[in-house]
Amino acid sequence: MDPITAIMVGVVFTGVFLSMTLEGVPIVHLFLPGPLILIFVGTFGAAAAGFMKSDLKIIVAAAKRAFTAKAPDGSDLVGVIVKMADRARREGLLALEDMAKEIQDPLLKEGIQMTVDGTDADEIEELLSMRVDSKRDEDKIGVAFFEAQGGYAPTIGVVGAIVGLIHALGNLDDVGALGHMIAAAFVATLWGVLIANGVWLPVAAKLKRLSQLEIKNMEMIVEGVLAVQAGTSPRMVEQKLRSALPNSAPGKDTKAA
């Protein structure tokens, strides 16, 4: 788990609440039910309206990934692929069948199994590339949803301010409560801007970065499978795959068996 997103979102809210405290604004004034319902429910509805029902499952999973997923580390997979390349050169591709059964990564497992089955290299590349493209397209759904929420939230906050001002203007005779009503009118605007820039847009950025790293890792696997299928030297396989690893996942030196 990479806690940076949760920590930094907490930093944003800490900064806001601290500044309110220093200005003498009671934090409890932020937690008015009406503005909270408007921002969270209204923003979700507006963003979800632009997606398919089947996308909602992907969106929920994406929200969880943003706070719990960690950057993929392909260095261990490089070691596995290098060992397979070495064994394939010494014993032939059929010798990889036992190793394929122990592979945990689904893309690598599928690629090596096709290699063992004698599938043509072009067909292997085409099918694995389709898997990568499918992953990329699925990731775009989560990113687009949270970017949409980040775009809608401030506008819906303005709607909340207008509703609050209408209420205040309808009660001009109650001078004592007028100031409170006007202040309350802008709570929705505050929440809209805060949640958009402090949560939704950062979550979208995190999902985009995760997708980049995961896609890069998958492309490295495709390159490795094709190298094994072509009988490339283990040392060359390792050099190629190490250079393809994402910067966030530096590899460890691995010696071919």
Side-chain angles (χ1 to χ4, degrees):
M1 175 178 176
D2 185 349
I4 186 65
T5 300
I7 292 174
M8 291 301 107
V9 168
V11 168
V12 171
F13 281 88
T14 299
V16 171
F17 294 155
L18 183 59
S19 68
M20 289 181 65
T21 301
L22 293 175
E23 292 294 329
V25 180
I27 295 177
V28 69
H29 287 179
L30 279 182
F31 297 95
L32 299 177
L36 289 173
I37 292 173
L38 176 64
I39 292 301
F40 285 95
V41 177
T43 300
F44 177 83
F51 292 82
M52 307 298 292
K53 182 180 178 180
S54 57
D55 294 334
L56 294 180
K57 184 177 180 180
I58 297 174
I59 291 167
V60 171
K64 181 179 179 181
R65 286 177 63 239
F67 290 96
T68 61
K70 63 179 181 179
D73 182 358
S75 58
D76 291 337
L77 289 177
V78 171
V80 173
I81 294 172
V82 170
K83 289 180 181 179
M84 289 190 293
D86 181 63
R87 186 169 181 180
R89 278 173 64 90
R90 289 188 289 105
E91 303 177 28
L93 293 175
L94 291 177
L96 302 179
E97 187 167 11
D98 291 339
M99 297 182 70
K101 296 177 182 178
E102 301 175 358
I103 297 174
Q104 299 299 317
D105 186 277
L107 187 68
L108 179 58
K109 187 181 186 73
E110 183 177 17
I112 294 301
Q113 189 59 59
M114 287 192 294
T115 298
V116 172
D117 292 340
T119 307
D120 184 75
D122 290 338
E123 293 180 353
I124 294 176
E125 183 176 13
E126 181 181 4
L127 183 56
L128 295 186
S129 295
M130 289 174 63
R131 298 278 189 258
V132 175
D133 291 340
S134 178
K135 165 69 173 172
R136 184 183 289 110
D137 291 340
E138 182 176 304
D139 289 347
K140 288 179 180 178
I141 294 173
V143 173
F145 177 79
F146 286 102
E147 285 181 340
Q149 287 208 120
Y152 288 126
T155 304
I156 292 178
V158 172
V159 172
I162 294 172
V163 171
L165 289 175
I166 290 173
H167 179 230
L169 292 173
N171 293 273
L172 289 176
D173 54 332
D174 189 356
V175 178
L178 192 59
H180 175 74
M181 286 187 288
I182 293 175
F186 290 99
V187 171
T189 303
L190 173 59
W191 271 111
V193 174
L194 175 59
I195 208 72
N197 294 280
V199 181
W200 302 143
L201 293 179
V203 165
K206 175 65 174 290
L207 290 174
K208 188 178 295 185
R209 179 59 178 152
L210 270 174
S211 179
Q212 290 172 346
L213 293 174
E214 290 169 352
I215 293 299
K216 187 70 173 176
N217 205 53
M218 293 176 76
E219 290 174 343
M220 181 271 293
I221 290 173
V222 174
E223 185 74 20
V225 170
L226 294 175
V228 171
Q229 198 271 350
T232 307
S233 117
R235 186 178 298 278
M236 181 60 66
V237 170
E238 181 172 16
Q239 290 177 348
K240 290 175 66 176
L241 299 189
R242 294 287 179 205
S243 65
L245 283 174
N247 292 333
S248 61
K252 302 172 185 177
D253 290 337
T254 303
K255 298 296 183 182

